[in-house]
Amino acid sequence: AQKITQTQPGMFVQEKEAVTLDCTYDTSDPSYGLFWYKQPSSGEMIFLIYQGSYDQQNATEGRYSLNFQKARKSANLVISASQLGDSAMYFCAMRVDNQGGKLIFGQGTELSVKP
Amino acid sequence: EAGVAQSPRYKIIEKRQSVAFWCNPISGHATLYWYQQILGQGPKLLIQFQNNGVVDDSQLPKDRFSAERLKGVDSTLKIQPAKLEDSAVYLCASRGPYEQYFGPGTRLTVT
């Protein structure tokens, strides 16, 4: 069965420092995509970054990078130079390509950035 | 381009009442999803449409939940009758080339 695991319910980071949010996944399908979404207290889900299972390079989008380790089935999100506005819930999600494109989400990690 | 629209943003009802949520996806997006997000959890898929056909409704409690997508554009999700455990945020999303784009959600409180 497909599953996403986020083992850090909450994280603190000092402003301007980097932080890594952990995500492990489980699937036996060879074709899948991994996503990170940010959910501020206002509730909307904001897409951050995407990694395809066949992508050779780790994805990067501005201050966000995805540390994709396929053999370990991990897809950790790295946020560099944290800002106060980064405080939010962060969800890791997986799309299995032969299942219609639905997303399977983890439980989320609440990130708090300290000034 | 306009994002995914949802209404209402908030709804409070008593148990056993009925409620309906509306979603308008991004123009041209054929695939539409409804997710339920209970407080403290990640979103869980309720139903997926491809144009106006249902692709996956395996997690939809069909005794009380129903959904339709008229003409392959707008969609409505209905709960009748509501239970206390239906209190959640209901998120609508439509699919782009890679990612899903989410609407702002409807926060439902059942008292």
Side-chain angles (χ1 to χ4, degrees), chain B residues 28-66:
Chain B
H29 283 189
T31 307
L32 183 148
Y33 308 83
W34 283 101
Y35 291 87
Q36 180 193 56
Q37 185 178 18
I38 292 172
L39 186 65
Q41 299 181 17
K44 182 187 78 171
L45 181 74
L46 289 174
I47 189 167
Q48 175 185 346
F49 291 95
Q50 179 77 17
N51 295 308
N52 60 354
V54 175
V55 173
D56 184 350
D57 64 356
S58 57
Q59 299 295 307
L60 188 74
K62 298 181 187 65
D63 57 333
R64 298 183 300 106
F65 286 65
S66 64

PDB file of all heavy atoms in Angstrom, chain B residues 28-66:
ATOM      1  N   GLY B  28      -9.865  24.823 -18.027  1.00  0.00           N
ATOM      2  CA  GLY B  28      -9.141  23.865 -18.857  1.00  0.00           C
ATOM      3  C   GLY B  28      -8.648  22.631 -18.123  1.00  0.00           C
ATOM      4  O   GLY B  28      -8.195  21.671 -18.748  1.00  0.00           O
ATOM      5  N   HIS B  29      -8.714  22.648 -16.803  1.00  0.00           N
ATOM      6  CA  HIS B  29      -8.265  21.474 -16.043  1.00  0.00           C
ATOM      7  C   HIS B  29      -9.355  20.409 -16.069  1.00  0.00           C
ATOM      8  O   HIS B  29     -10.453  20.620 -15.561  1.00  0.00           O
ATOM      9  CB  HIS B  29      -7.938  21.859 -14.595  1.00  0.00           C
ATOM     10  CG  HIS B  29      -6.632  22.559 -14.463  1.00  0.00           C
ATOM     11  ND1 HIS B  29      -6.063  22.836 -13.229  1.00  0.00           N
ATOM     12  CD2 HIS B  29      -5.768  23.037 -15.385  1.00  0.00           C
ATOM     13  CE1 HIS B  29      -4.911  23.444 -13.406  1.00  0.00           C
ATOM     14  NE2 HIS B  29      -4.706  23.594 -14.711  1.00  0.00           N
ATOM     15  N   ALA B  30      -9.020  19.242 -16.611  1.00  0.00           N
ATOM     16  CA  ALA B  30     -10.016  18.185 -16.766  1.00  0.00           C
ATOM     17  C   ALA B  30     -10.227  17.394 -15.478  1.00  0.00           C
ATOM     18  O   ALA B  30     -11.288  16.837 -15.249  1.00  0.00           O
ATOM     19  CB  ALA B  30      -9.594  17.239 -17.894  1.00  0.00           C
ATOM     20  N   THR B  31      -9.189  17.336 -14.650  1.00  0.00           N
ATOM     21  CA  THR B  31      -9.259  16.491 -13.454  1.00  0.00           C
ATOM     22  C   THR B  31      -9.521  17.341 -12.222  1.00  0.00           C
ATOM     23  O   THR B  31      -8.832  18.342 -11.996  1.00  0.00           O
ATOM     24  CB  THR B  31      -7.960  15.694 -13.280  1.00  0.00           C
ATOM     25  OG1 THR B  31      -7.667  14.999 -14.491  1.00  0.00           O
ATOM     26  CG2 THR B  31      -8.106  14.667 -12.165  1.00  0.00           C
ATOM     27  N   LEU B  32     -10.496  16.927 -11.446  1.00  0.00           N
ATOM     28  CA  LEU B  32     -10.899  17.656 -10.244  1.00  0.00           C
ATOM     29  C   LEU B  32     -10.974  16.673  -9.077  1.00  0.00           C
ATOM     30  O   LEU B  32     -11.425  15.537  -9.223  1.00  0.00           O
ATOM     31  CB  LEU B  32     -12.265  18.319 -10.475  1.00  0.00           C
ATOM     32  CG  LEU B  32     -12.844  19.199  -9.356  1.00  0.00           C
ATOM     33  CD1 LEU B  32     -13.676  20.328  -9.958  1.00  0.00           C
ATOM     34  CD2 LEU B  32     -13.662  18.385  -8.382  1.00  0.00           C
ATOM     35  N   TYR B  33     -10.512  17.132  -7.935  1.00  0.00           N
ATOM     36  CA  TYR B  33     -10.469  16.307  -6.730  1.00  0.00           C
ATOM     37  C   TYR B  33     -11.189  17.022  -5.588  1.00  0.00           C
ATOM     38  O   TYR B  33     -11.083  18.240  -5.439  1.00  0.00           O
ATOM     39  CB  TYR B  33      -9.024  16.063  -6.279  1.00  0.00           C
ATOM     40  CG  TYR B  33      -8.088  15.530  -7.334  1.00  0.00           C
ATOM     41  CD1 TYR B  33      -7.466  16.387  -8.232  1.00  0.00           C
ATOM     42  CD2 TYR B  33      -7.786  14.176  -7.407  1.00  0.00           C
ATOM     43  CE1 TYR B  33      -6.581  15.911  -9.191  1.00  0.00           C
ATOM     44  CE2 TYR B  33      -6.891  13.681  -8.352  1.00  0.00           C
ATOM     45  CZ  TYR B  33      -6.304  14.560  -9.248  1.00  0.00           C
ATOM     46  OH  TYR B  33      -5.419  14.076 -10.190  1.00  0.00           O
ATOM     47  N   TRP B  34     -11.823  16.247  -4.718  1.00  0.00           N
ATOM     48  CA  TRP B  34     -12.304  16.720  -3.426  1.00  0.00           C
ATOM     49  C   TRP B  34     -11.542  15.954  -2.339  1.00  0.00           C
ATOM     50  O   TRP B  34     -11.496  14.723  -2.352  1.00  0.00           O
ATOM     51  CB  TRP B  34     -13.800  16.467  -3.244  1.00  0.00           C
ATOM     52  CG  TRP B  34     -14.701  17.412  -3.969  1.00  0.00           C
ATOM     53  CD1 TRP B  34     -15.357  17.192  -5.142  1.00  0.00           C
ATOM     54  CD2 TRP B  34     -15.084  18.729  -3.543  1.00  0.00           C
ATOM     55  NE1 TRP B  34     -16.118  18.286  -5.482  1.00  0.00           N
ATOM     56  CE2 TRP B  34     -15.965  19.242  -4.519  1.00  0.00           C
ATOM     57  CE3 TRP B  34     -14.779  19.522  -2.431  1.00  0.00           C
ATOM     58  CZ2 TRP B  34     -16.548  20.513  -4.421  1.00  0.00           C
ATOM     59  CZ3 TRP B  34     -15.345  20.772  -2.333  1.00  0.00           C
ATOM     60  CH2 TRP B  34     -16.215  21.257  -3.318  1.00  0.00           C
ATOM     61  N   TYR B  35     -10.967  16.719  -1.410  1.00  0.00           N
ATOM     62  CA  TYR B  35     -10.271  16.140  -0.270  1.00  0.00           C
ATOM     63  C   TYR B  35     -10.958  16.588   1.022  1.00  0.00           C
ATOM     64  O   TYR B  35     -11.483  17.692   1.109  1.00  0.00           O
ATOM     65  CB  TYR B  35      -8.809  16.621  -0.208  1.00  0.00           C
ATOM     66  CG  TYR B  35      -7.907  16.091  -1.306  1.00  0.00           C
ATOM     67  CD1 TYR B  35      -7.806  16.753  -2.525  1.00  0.00           C
ATOM     68  CD2 TYR B  35      -7.135  14.956  -1.106  1.00  0.00           C
ATOM     69  CE1 TYR B  35      -6.962  16.282  -3.523  1.00  0.00           C
ATOM     70  CE2 TYR B  35      -6.288  14.478  -2.107  1.00  0.00           C
ATOM     71  CZ  TYR B  35      -6.211  15.151  -3.313  1.00  0.00           C
ATOM     72  OH  TYR B  35      -5.369  14.681  -4.292  1.00  0.00           O
ATOM     73  N   GLN B  36     -10.863  15.725   2.024  1.00  0.00           N
ATOM     74  CA  GLN B  36     -11.304  16.072   3.372  1.00  0.00           C
ATOM     75  C   GLN B  36     -10.076  16.167   4.268  1.00  0.00           C
ATOM     76  O   GLN B  36      -9.245  15.244   4.281  1.00  0.00           O
ATOM     77  CB  GLN B  36     -12.246  14.997   3.920  1.00  0.00           C
ATOM     78  CG  GLN B  36     -12.763  15.267   5.328  1.00  0.00           C
ATOM     79  CD  GLN B  36     -13.432  14.038   5.925  1.00  0.00           C
ATOM     80  OE1 GLN B  36     -12.860  12.969   6.011  1.00  0.00           O
ATOM     81  NE2 GLN B  36     -14.690  14.190   6.327  1.00  0.00           N
ATOM     82  N   GLN B  37      -9.960  17.286   4.980  1.00  0.00           N
ATOM     83  CA  GLN B  37      -8.828  17.442   5.892  1.00  0.00           C
ATOM     84  C   GLN B  37      -9.354  17.645   7.313  1.00  0.00           C
ATOM     85  O   GLN B  37      -9.848  18.733   7.654  1.00  0.00           O
ATOM     86  CB  GLN B  37      -7.924  18.606   5.492  1.00  0.00           C
ATOM     87  CG  GLN B  37      -6.673  18.695   6.354  1.00  0.00           C
ATOM     88  CD  GLN B  37      -5.733  19.801   5.942  1.00  0.00           C
ATOM     89  OE1 GLN B  37      -6.107  20.738   5.233  1.00  0.00           O
ATOM     90  NE2 GLN B  37      -4.475  19.704   6.357  1.00  0.00           N
ATOM     91  N   ILE B  38      -9.228  16.621   8.116  1.00  0.00           N
ATOM     92  CA  ILE B  38      -9.609  16.713   9.523  1.00  0.00           C
ATOM     93  C   ILE B  38      -8.472  17.394  10.277  1.00  0.00           C
ATOM     94  O   ILE B  38      -7.284  17.227   9.938  1.00  0.00           O
ATOM     95  CB  ILE B  38      -9.908  15.308  10.085  1.00  0.00           C
ATOM     96  CG1 ILE B  38     -11.174  14.764   9.416  1.00  0.00           C
ATOM     97  CG2 ILE B  38     -10.056  15.316  11.598  1.00  0.00           C
ATOM     98  CD1 ILE B  38     -11.498  13.333   9.721  1.00  0.00           C
ATOM     99  N   LEU B  39      -8.808  18.169  11.283  1.00  0.00           N
ATOM    100  CA  LEU B  39      -7.837  18.955  12.041  1.00  0.00           C
ATOM    101  C   LEU B  39      -6.676  18.084  12.510  1.00  0.00           C
ATOM    102  O   LEU B  39      -6.875  17.024  13.110  1.00  0.00           O
ATOM    103  CB  LEU B  39      -8.522  19.606  13.236  1.00  0.00           C
ATOM    104  CG  LEU B  39      -7.676  20.578  14.049  1.00  0.00           C
ATOM    105  CD1 LEU B  39      -7.298  21.789  13.216  1.00  0.00           C
ATOM    106  CD2 LEU B  39      -8.422  21.004  15.314  1.00  0.00           C
ATOM    107  N   GLY B  40      -5.453  18.523  12.195  1.00  0.00           N
ATOM    108  CA  GLY B  40      -4.267  17.804  12.637  1.00  0.00           C
ATOM    109  C   GLY B  40      -3.829  16.686  11.719  1.00  0.00           C
ATOM    110  O   GLY B  40      -2.870  15.971  12.032  1.00  0.00           O
ATOM    111  N   GLN B  41      -4.512  16.522  10.590  1.00  0.00           N
ATOM    112  CA  GLN B  41      -4.168  15.454   9.650  1.00  0.00           C
ATOM    113  C   GLN B  41      -3.911  16.029   8.266  1.00  0.00           C
ATOM    114  O   GLN B  41      -4.254  17.175   7.969  1.00  0.00           O
ATOM    115  CB  GLN B  41      -5.303  14.432   9.582  1.00  0.00           C
ATOM    116  CG  GLN B  41      -5.604  13.748  10.903  1.00  0.00           C
ATOM    117  CD  GLN B  41      -6.719  12.722  10.762  1.00  0.00           C
ATOM    118  OE1 GLN B  41      -7.062  12.290   9.664  1.00  0.00           O
ATOM    119  NE2 GLN B  41      -7.263  12.299  11.902  1.00  0.00           N
ATOM    120  N   GLY B  42      -3.336  15.196   7.417  1.00  0.00           N
ATOM    121  CA  GLY B  42      -3.200  15.575   6.022  1.00  0.00           C
ATOM    122  C   GLY B  42      -4.503  15.335   5.275  1.00  0.00           C
ATOM    123  O   GLY B  42      -5.368  14.591   5.725  1.00  0.00           O
ATOM    124  N   PRO B  43      -4.660  15.992   4.138  1.00  0.00           N
ATOM    125  CA  PRO B  43      -5.885  15.791   3.343  1.00  0.00           C
ATOM    126  C   PRO B  43      -6.023  14.352   2.874  1.00  0.00           C
ATOM    127  O   PRO B  43      -5.025  13.674   2.606  1.00  0.00           O
ATOM    128  CB  PRO B  43      -5.684  16.735   2.146  1.00  0.00           C
ATOM    129  CG  PRO B  43      -4.704  17.753   2.614  1.00  0.00           C
ATOM    130  CD  PRO B  43      -3.800  17.034   3.554  1.00  0.00           C
ATOM    131  N   LYS B  44      -7.271  13.905   2.773  1.00  0.00           N
ATOM    132  CA  LYS B  44      -7.571  12.561   2.306  1.00  0.00           C
ATOM    133  C   LYS B  44      -8.550  12.673   1.148  1.00  0.00           C
ATOM    134  O   LYS B  44      -9.556  13.376   1.245  1.00  0.00           O
ATOM    135  CB  LYS B  44      -8.176  11.733   3.437  1.00  0.00           C
ATOM    136  CG  LYS B  44      -8.494  10.300   3.073  1.00  0.00           C
ATOM    137  CD  LYS B  44      -9.243   9.610   4.197  1.00  0.00           C
ATOM    138  CE  LYS B  44     -10.700  10.022   4.200  1.00  0.00           C
ATOM    139  NZ  LYS B  44     -11.523   9.219   5.141  1.00  0.00           N
ATOM    140  N   LEU B  45      -8.258  11.959   0.045  1.00  0.00           N
ATOM    141  CA  LEU B  45      -9.117  12.039  -1.133  1.00  0.00           C
ATOM    142  C   LEU B  45     -10.485  11.461  -0.858  1.00  0.00           C
ATOM    143  O   LEU B  45     -10.627  10.371  -0.316  1.00  0.00           O
ATOM    144  CB  LEU B  45      -8.483  11.274  -2.299  1.00  0.00           C
ATOM    145  CG  LEU B  45      -9.294  11.305  -3.586  1.00  0.00           C
ATOM    146  CD1 LEU B  45      -9.203  12.672  -4.245  1.00  0.00           C
ATOM    147  CD2 LEU B  45      -8.841  10.213  -4.550  1.00  0.00           C
ATOM    148  N   LEU B  46     -11.513  12.234  -1.253  1.00  0.00           N
ATOM    149  CA  LEU B  46     -12.876  11.724  -1.205  1.00  0.00           C
ATOM    150  C   LEU B  46     -13.310  11.213  -2.580  1.00  0.00           C
ATOM    151  O   LEU B  46     -13.853  10.118  -2.708  1.00  0.00           O
ATOM    152  CB  LEU B  46     -13.844  12.820  -0.746  1.00  0.00           C
ATOM    153  CG  LEU B  46     -13.756  13.242   0.721  1.00  0.00           C
ATOM    154  CD1 LEU B  46     -14.679  14.428   0.970  1.00  0.00           C
ATOM    155  CD2 LEU B  46     -14.099  12.090   1.636  1.00  0.00           C
ATOM    156  N   ILE B  47     -13.104  12.035  -3.607  1.00  0.00           N
ATOM    157  CA  ILE B  47     -13.563  11.678  -4.941  1.00  0.00           C
ATOM    158  C   ILE B  47     -12.731  12.402  -5.975  1.00  0.00           C
ATOM    159  O   ILE B  47     -12.256  13.514  -5.737  1.00  0.00           O
ATOM    160  CB  ILE B  47     -15.073  11.989  -5.109  1.00  0.00           C
ATOM    161  CG1 ILE B  47     -15.620  11.411  -6.411  1.00  0.00           C
ATOM    162  CG2 ILE B  47     -15.336  13.485  -4.999  1.00  0.00           C
ATOM    163  CD1 ILE B  47     -17.147  11.405  -6.467  1.00  0.00           C
ATOM    164  N   GLN B  48     -12.552  11.746  -7.126  1.00  0.00           N
ATOM    165  CA  GLN B  48     -11.813  12.314  -8.249  1.00  0.00           C
ATOM    166  C   GLN B  48     -12.667  12.213  -9.495  1.00  0.00           C
ATOM    167  O   GLN B  48     -13.239  11.160  -9.792  1.00  0.00           O
ATOM    168  CB  GLN B  48     -10.510  11.550  -8.461  1.00  0.00           C
ATOM    169  CG  GLN B  48      -9.726  11.982  -9.686  1.00  0.00           C
ATOM    170  CD  GLN B  48      -8.505  11.119  -9.923  1.00  0.00           C
ATOM    171  OE1 GLN B  48      -8.078  10.363  -9.054  1.00  0.00           O
ATOM    172  NE2 GLN B  48      -7.931  11.226 -11.112  1.00  0.00           N
ATOM    173  N   PHE B  49     -12.731  13.324 -10.232  1.00  0.00           N
ATOM    174  CA  PHE B  49     -13.443  13.384 -11.507  1.00  0.00           C
ATOM    175  C   PHE B  49     -12.440  13.593 -12.648  1.00  0.00           C
ATOM    176  O   PHE B  49     -11.476  14.336 -12.518  1.00  0.00           O
ATOM    177  CB  PHE B  49     -14.415  14.572 -11.536  1.00  0.00           C
ATOM    178  CG  PHE B  49     -15.596  14.445 -10.628  1.00  0.00           C
ATOM    179  CD1 PHE B  49     -15.565  14.999  -9.359  1.00  0.00           C
ATOM    180  CD2 PHE B  49     -16.751  13.795 -11.042  1.00  0.00           C
ATOM    181  CE1 PHE B  49     -16.659  14.899  -8.515  1.00  0.00           C
ATOM    182  CE2 PHE B  49     -17.847  13.700 -10.214  1.00  0.00           C
ATOM    183  CZ  PHE B  49     -17.810  14.253  -8.937  1.00  0.00           C
ATOM    184  N   GLN B  50     -12.717  12.956 -13.768  1.00  0.00           N
ATOM    185  CA  GLN B  50     -12.048  13.256 -15.020  1.00  0.00           C
ATOM    186  C   GLN B  50     -13.148  13.737 -15.955  1.00  0.00           C
ATOM    187  O   GLN B  50     -14.029  12.957 -16.329  1.00  0.00           O
ATOM    188  CB  GLN B  50     -11.359  12.015 -15.592  1.00  0.00           C
ATOM    189  CG  GLN B  50     -10.659  12.241 -16.908  1.00  0.00           C
ATOM    190  CD  GLN B  50      -9.330  12.952 -16.755  1.00  0.00           C
ATOM    191  OE1 GLN B  50      -8.773  13.014 -15.671  1.00  0.00           O
ATOM    192  NE2 GLN B  50      -8.819  13.497 -17.839  1.00  0.00           N
ATOM    193  N   ASN B  51     -13.077  15.022 -16.314  1.00  0.00           N
ATOM    194  CA  ASN B  51     -14.208  15.671 -16.984  1.00  0.00           C
ATOM    195  C   ASN B  51     -15.456  15.488 -16.114  1.00  0.00           C
ATOM    196  O   ASN B  51     -15.425  15.873 -14.952  1.00  0.00           O
ATOM    197  CB  ASN B  51     -14.360  15.148 -18.403  1.00  0.00           C
ATOM    198  CG  ASN B  51     -13.152  15.524 -19.239  1.00  0.00           C
ATOM    199  OD1 ASN B  51     -12.764  16.688 -19.299  1.00  0.00           O
ATOM    200  ND2 ASN B  51     -12.528  14.539 -19.869  1.00  0.00           N
ATOM    201  N   ASN B  52     -16.529  14.901 -16.589  1.00  0.00           N
ATOM    202  CA  ASN B  52     -17.696  14.751 -15.716  1.00  0.00           C
ATOM    203  C   ASN B  52     -17.887  13.314 -15.242  1.00  0.00           C
ATOM    204  O   ASN B  52     -18.934  12.973 -14.683  1.00  0.00           O
ATOM    205  CB  ASN B  52     -18.960  15.275 -16.393  1.00  0.00           C
ATOM    206  CG  ASN B  52     -19.248  14.537 -17.676  1.00  0.00           C
ATOM    207  OD1 ASN B  52     -18.454  13.713 -18.118  1.00  0.00           O
ATOM    208  ND2 ASN B  52     -20.379  14.814 -18.282  1.00  0.00           N
ATOM    209  N   GLY B  53     -16.859  12.466 -15.427  1.00  0.00           N
ATOM    210  CA  GLY B  53     -16.934  11.089 -14.959  1.00  0.00           C
ATOM    211  C   GLY B  53     -16.140  10.858 -13.687  1.00  0.00           C
ATOM    212  O   GLY B  53     -15.110  11.492 -13.477  1.00  0.00           O
ATOM    213  N   VAL B  54     -16.633   9.946 -12.856  1.00  0.00           N
ATOM    214  CA  VAL B  54     -15.944   9.624 -11.600  1.00  0.00           C
ATOM    215  C   VAL B  54     -14.825   8.616 -11.872  1.00  0.00           C
ATOM    216  O   VAL B  54     -15.043   7.572 -12.479  1.00  0.00           O
ATOM    217  CB  VAL B  54     -16.936   9.029 -10.579  1.00  0.00           C
ATOM    218  CG1 VAL B  54     -16.201   8.570  -9.327  1.00  0.00           C
ATOM    219  CG2 VAL B  54     -18.011  10.050 -10.219  1.00  0.00           C
ATOM    220  N   VAL B  55     -13.616   8.951 -11.416  1.00  0.00           N
ATOM    221  CA  VAL B  55     -12.466   8.064 -11.568  1.00  0.00           C
ATOM    222  C   VAL B  55     -12.253   7.236 -10.307  1.00  0.00           C
ATOM    223  O   VAL B  55     -11.953   6.047 -10.376  1.00  0.00           O
ATOM    224  CB  VAL B  55     -11.197   8.874 -11.890  1.00  0.00           C
ATOM    225  CG1 VAL B  55      -9.960   7.990 -11.886  1.00  0.00           C
ATOM    226  CG2 VAL B  55     -11.338   9.611 -13.203  1.00  0.00           C
ATOM    227  N   ASP B  56     -12.407   7.877  -9.153  1.00  0.00           N
ATOM    228  CA  ASP B  56     -12.143   7.201  -7.878  1.00  0.00           C
ATOM    229  C   ASP B  56     -13.046   7.788  -6.822  1.00  0.00           C
ATOM    230  O   ASP B  56     -12.957   8.976  -6.532  1.00  0.00           O
ATOM    231  CB  ASP B  56     -10.663   7.371  -7.488  1.00  0.00           C
ATOM    232  CG  ASP B  56     -10.269   6.608  -6.223  1.00  0.00           C
ATOM    233  OD1 ASP B  56     -11.151   6.094  -5.519  1.00  0.00           O
ATOM    234  OD2 ASP B  56      -9.057   6.548  -5.941  1.00  0.00           O
ATOM    235  N   ASP B  57     -13.925   6.986  -6.278  1.00  0.00           N
ATOM    236  CA  ASP B  57     -14.754   7.417  -5.136  1.00  0.00           C
ATOM    237  C   ASP B  57     -14.710   6.365  -4.039  1.00  0.00           C
ATOM    238  O   ASP B  57     -15.652   6.233  -3.253  1.00  0.00           O
ATOM    239  CB  ASP B  57     -16.185   7.726  -5.564  1.00  0.00           C
ATOM    240  CG  ASP B  57     -16.918   6.501  -6.103  1.00  0.00           C
ATOM    241  OD1 ASP B  57     -16.294   5.425  -6.208  1.00  0.00           O
ATOM    242  OD2 ASP B  57     -18.110   6.626  -6.427  1.00  0.00           O
ATOM    243  N   SER B  58     -13.608   5.633  -3.982  1.00  0.00           N
ATOM    244  CA  SER B  58     -13.511   4.523  -3.048  1.00  0.00           C
ATOM    245  C   SER B  58     -13.520   4.959  -1.581  1.00  0.00           C
ATOM    246  O   SER B  58     -13.870   4.180  -0.705  1.00  0.00           O
ATOM    247  CB  SER B  58     -12.245   3.708  -3.325  1.00  0.00           C
ATOM    248  OG  SER B  58     -11.097   4.521  -3.245  1.00  0.00           O
ATOM    249  N   GLN B  59     -13.112   6.218  -1.314  1.00  0.00           N
ATOM    250  CA  GLN B  59     -13.076   6.712   0.059  1.00  0.00           C
ATOM    251  C   GLN B  59     -14.269   7.603   0.392  1.00  0.00           C
ATOM    252  O   GLN B  59     -14.311   8.187   1.476  1.00  0.00           O
ATOM    253  CB  GLN B  59     -11.773   7.503   0.283  1.00  0.00           C
ATOM    254  CG  GLN B  59     -10.518   6.669   0.093  1.00  0.00           C
ATOM    255  CD  GLN B  59     -10.409   5.568   1.119  1.00  0.00           C
ATOM    256  OE1 GLN B  59     -10.481   5.804   2.321  1.00  0.00           O
ATOM    257  NE2 GLN B  59     -10.252   4.339   0.652  1.00  0.00           N
ATOM    258  N   LEU B  60     -15.215   7.701  -0.484  1.00  0.00           N
ATOM    259  CA  LEU B  60     -16.396   8.547  -0.249  1.00  0.00           C
ATOM    260  C   LEU B  60     -17.451   7.752   0.531  1.00  0.00           C
ATOM    261  O   LEU B  60     -17.878   6.694   0.072  1.00  0.00           O
ATOM    262  CB  LEU B  60     -16.961   9.007  -1.603  1.00  0.00           C
ATOM    263  CG  LEU B  60     -18.070  10.055  -1.556  1.00  0.00           C
ATOM    264  CD1 LEU B  60     -17.492  11.427  -1.192  1.00  0.00           C
ATOM    265  CD2 LEU B  60     -18.803  10.120  -2.890  1.00  0.00           C
ATOM    266  N   PRO B  61     -17.880   8.275   1.684  1.00  0.00           N
ATOM    267  CA  PRO B  61     -18.953   7.590   2.437  1.00  0.00           C
ATOM    268  C   PRO B  61     -20.287   7.781   1.709  1.00  0.00           C
ATOM    269  O   PRO B  61     -21.012   8.745   1.939  1.00  0.00           O
ATOM    270  CB  PRO B  61     -18.929   8.305   3.794  1.00  0.00           C
ATOM    271  CG  PRO B  61     -17.669   9.092   3.839  1.00  0.00           C
ATOM    272  CD  PRO B  61     -17.344   9.435   2.414  1.00  0.00           C
ATOM    273  N   LYS B  62     -20.604   6.851   0.872  1.00  0.00           N
ATOM    274  CA  LYS B  62     -21.691   7.059  -0.091  1.00  0.00           C
ATOM    275  C   LYS B  62     -23.075   7.048   0.546  1.00  0.00           C
ATOM    276  O   LYS B  62     -24.058   7.439  -0.107  1.00  0.00           O
ATOM    277  CB  LYS B  62     -21.616   6.013  -1.195  1.00  0.00           C
ATOM    278  CG  LYS B  62     -20.325   6.085  -2.011  1.00  0.00           C
ATOM    279  CD  LYS B  62     -20.307   5.057  -3.106  1.00  0.00           C
ATOM    280  CE  LYS B  62     -18.960   5.024  -3.788  1.00  0.00           C
ATOM    281  NZ  LYS B  62     -17.847   4.579  -2.893  1.00  0.00           N
ATOM    282  N   ASP B  63     -23.149   6.623   1.809  1.00  0.00           N
ATOM    283  CA  ASP B  63     -24.460   6.660   2.462  1.00  0.00           C
ATOM    284  C   ASP B  63     -24.864   8.089   2.806  1.00  0.00           C
ATOM    285  O   ASP B  63     -26.056   8.378   2.999  1.00  0.00           O
ATOM    286  CB  ASP B  63     -24.449   5.801   3.724  1.00  0.00           C
ATOM    287  CG  ASP B  63     -23.376   6.218   4.710  1.00  0.00           C
ATOM    288  OD1 ASP B  63     -22.345   6.789   4.279  1.00  0.00           O
ATOM    289  OD2 ASP B  63     -23.551   5.956   5.916  1.00  0.00           O
ATOM    290  N   ARG B  64     -23.881   9.008   2.848  1.00  0.00           N
ATOM    291  CA  ARG B  64     -24.220  10.381   3.238  1.00  0.00           C
ATOM    292  C   ARG B  64     -23.591  11.431   2.331  1.00  0.00           C
ATOM    293  O   ARG B  64     -24.039  12.571   2.312  1.00  0.00           O
ATOM    294  CB  ARG B  64     -23.776  10.637   4.681  1.00  0.00           C
ATOM    295  CG  ARG B  64     -24.460   9.751   5.695  1.00  0.00           C
ATOM    296  CD  ARG B  64     -24.058  10.084   7.101  1.00  0.00           C
ATOM    297  NE  ARG B  64     -22.625   9.930   7.332  1.00  0.00           N
ATOM    298  CZ  ARG B  64     -21.783  10.935   7.454  1.00  0.00           C
ATOM    299  NH1 ARG B  64     -22.214  12.187   7.352  1.00  0.00           N
ATOM    300  NH2 ARG B  64     -20.496  10.704   7.674  1.00  0.00           N
ATOM    301  N   PHE B  65     -22.553  11.082   1.629  1.00  0.00           N
ATOM    302  CA  PHE B  65     -21.849  12.031   0.759  1.00  0.00           C
ATOM    303  C   PHE B  65     -22.200  11.744  -0.698  1.00  0.00           C
ATOM    304  O   PHE B  65     -22.294  10.581  -1.107  1.00  0.00           O
ATOM    305  CB  PHE B  65     -20.327  11.897   0.912  1.00  0.00           C
ATOM    306  CG  PHE B  65     -19.757  12.465   2.183  1.00  0.00           C
ATOM    307  CD1 PHE B  65     -20.076  11.934   3.407  1.00  0.00           C
ATOM    308  CD2 PHE B  65     -18.869  13.536   2.136  1.00  0.00           C
ATOM    309  CE1 PHE B  65     -19.537  12.447   4.580  1.00  0.00           C
ATOM    310  CE2 PHE B  65     -18.312  14.053   3.297  1.00  0.00           C
ATOM    311  CZ  PHE B  65     -18.651  13.503   4.514  1.00  0.00           C
ATOM    312  N   SER B  66     -22.369  12.814  -1.456  1.00  0.00           N
ATOM    313  CA  SER B  66     -22.541  12.676  -2.895  1.00  0.00           C
ATOM    314  C   SER B  66     -21.827  13.835  -3.575  1.00  0.00           C
ATOM    315  O   SER B  66     -21.616  14.892  -2.972  1.00  0.00           O
ATOM    316  CB  SER B  66     -24.019  12.659  -3.278  1.00  0.00           C
ATOM    317  OG  SER B  66     -24.629  13.897  -2.947  1.00  0.00           O
TER     318      SER B  66
END
